[in-house]
Amino acid sequence: MSELVEKLTSGDKRALARVITIVEDGGPNATSIMREVCKHLKNPHVIGVAGPPGVGKSTLIDCLITEYRKMGKRVGVVAVDPTSPLTGGALLGDRVRMQKHALDDGVFIRSMASRGAMGGLSRAIGAVIHAMDAFGADVIIVETIGGGQLDIDVSNYAHTVVAVLQPFSGDEIQMMKAGLMEVADLFVVNKADLPGAEQTIRMIFDAVRESGRRRGWLPPIVKTSAAMGEGIKEVVEAIERHWKHLVETGLIDERRKRFAKAEIVDIAYQRLRDELSRFASSEEMDGLAERVVYGANPYEVADEVLYLLSERLLSKKP
Ligand SMILES: Nc1nc2c(ncn2[C@@H]2O[C@H](COP(=O)(O)OP(=O)(O)OP(=O)(O)O)[C@@H](O)[C@H]2O)c(=O)[nH]1
Ligand SMILES: [Mg+2]
């Protein structure tokens, strides 16, 4: 196991792929490998790219990869597949779109299923971000569809949230108001080659102005045509400016704290849940249930179970 982590930290892409697979499978193996991985973190910039389906998030990310590679940075990308029948093609689409980077040792791209976990991001996302960090990624980009609850999710993990929209997306502006507006650090109006881009920018501008400057930061609005590679430098410049703002104001620690909170809850919840479901089908459980049938108080028995489980969890730490 630690041999694998050693390979990972030396920048081996195959080792990274293996680690992510183990992490996605979950269970004790995932926990023990992540314990090792987390000894090698540098906490690089995590950029969330969120927005409605089909606005050009993957195309934009493809351009961002090129730009960051020019700056000599290693890039990790996680594309979260919404696993909905509507956008089921996303997985293949992302692979095809970003394929030209597949042979580059400084770029690692992975699609993940959200598996219907709460929110748009898979539960394993925090672990995958750490794995890419230990691999040596200087920038980690997370693609996810946005809207309502999903955006709140991405803001747990990303230091900078980029909201991508396209011209004349009335519905999407509504969707954005339901969540993305609150968490977006910058807006990209993509497909600016299509009519209506200026109007869309105007709408976003009004909405941003209405909600006001947040902690000294007014989210910039950048116009792009990702398919033509236009406006990309401006996006990178705005992302980097936001990072600088986070670092200079100390807000970065708040973002990291948010990540840490979500992660601790995730890890503890998963381990407890695994242990509890094992316990639920054990003979011991049978005995406890019998006691309740013959008069024991189920609340008191549940207390006993919690005590037992926590002892077990801590004594056989994976
Ligand atoms: N006209 C125009 N089309 C674009 C532009 N950028 C992307 N597209 C097209 O929009 C479609 C969707 O692009 P994607 O990059 O897959 O969009 P996405 O947001 O990642 O989509 P999902 O992952 O399915 O939510 C593709 O057919 C792209 O070629 C652009 O700047 N202008
Ligand atoms: Mg996509």
Side-chain angles (χ1 to χ4, degrees), residues 10-295:
S10 71
D12 182 333
K13 273 170 81 166
R14 284 179 51 202
L16 176 55
R18 275 270 303 127
V19 169
I20 294 179
T21 302
I22 293 170
V23 161
E24 283 183 316
D25 288 344
N29 284 345
T31 304
S32 69
I33 201 148
M34 283 315 295
R35 248 185 235 284
E36 284 299 309
V37 168
C38 283
K39 291 174 186 163
H40 304 276
L41 302 185
K42 296 198 188 78
N43 296 310
H45 193 178
V46 179
I47 302 160
V49 175
V55 292
K57 299 179 294 295
S58 300
T59 312
L60 176 72
I61 291 171
D62 184 51
C63 298
L64 293 178
I65 296 172
T66 305
E67 213 52 41
Y68 277 114
R69 290 303 289 147
K70 277 190 211 152
M71 294 159 72
K73 297 197 179 197
R74 309 186 87 197
V75 186
V77 177
V78 198
V80 182
D81 174 36
T83 50
S84 92
L86 264 181
T87 45
L91 202 68
L92 186 64
D94 290 334
R95 292 241 172 92
V96 171
R97 257 181 274 294
M98 300 181 207
Q99 195 122 56
K100 67 170 185 274
H101 300 289
L103 293 176
D104 184 343
D105 274 339
V107 180
F108 185 92
I109 299 164
R110 178 78 167 217
S111 292
M112 283 177 79
S114 60
R115 289 202 184 126
M118 246 172 29
L121 290 184
S122 161
R123 291 210 152 263
I125 192 84
V128 173
I129 288 172
H130 289 325
M132 288 185 168
D133 176 347
F135 160 78
D138 302 299
V139 179
I140 297 168
I141 305 174
V142 182
E143 173 181 343
T144 176
I145 62 160
Q149 193 57 41
L150 306 187
D151 311 310
I152 293 160
D153 223 351
V154 70
S155 71
N156 277 337
Y157 295 101
H159 304 118
T160 301
V161 176
V162 181
V164 187
L165 297 163
Q166 65 183 35
F168 273 135
S169 41
D171 283 358
E172 280 105 37
I173 299 263
Q174 276 319 110
M175 188 165 163
M176 177 185 91
K177 280 190 175 156
L180 207 45
M181 194 73 219
E182 300 299 318
V183 298
D185 299 302
L186 79 105
F187 293 90
V188 169
V189 176
N190 188 43
K191 305 196 188 179
D193 50 294
L194 301 182
E198 293 307 327
Q199 241 167 303
T200 309
I201 290 174
R202 190 86 227 152
M203 274 160 83
I204 299 170
F205 182 77
D206 289 343
V208 168
R209 201 177 41 187
E210 218 174 275
S211 70
R213 199 174 268 271
R214 279 198 325 257
R215 324 286 301 263
W217 177 259
L218 198 63
I221 306 165
V222 184
K223 195 169 72 172
T224 61
S225 300
M228 290 81 167
E230 282 164 22
I232 308 305
K233 276 206 173 69
E234 288 77 1
V235 177
V236 172
E237 196 264 334
I239 291 173
E240 293 306 303
R241 206 147 40 82
H242 182 251
W243 177 250
K244 206 165 154 237
H245 170 76
L246 290 178
V247 173
E248 282 174 2
T249 55
L251 279 172
I252 186 68
D253 286 346
E254 259 175 57
R255 301 264 169 150
R256 287 189 172 135
K257 205 161 142 188
R258 204 152 63 181
F259 187 159
K261 275 188 193 170
E263 190 179 28
I264 294 167
V265 171
D266 263 12
I267 295 169
Y269 174 78
Q270 267 177 55
R271 290 192 55 204
L272 201 56
R273 195 198 50 192
D274 289 351
E275 196 68 28
L276 188 59
S277 58
R278 248 196 307 278
F279 187 81
S281 51
S282 69
E283 269 179 36
E284 264 171 302
M285 186 64 175
D286 233 44
L288 292 179
E290 226 160 77
R291 273 174 51 201
V292 172
V293 170
Y294 293 110

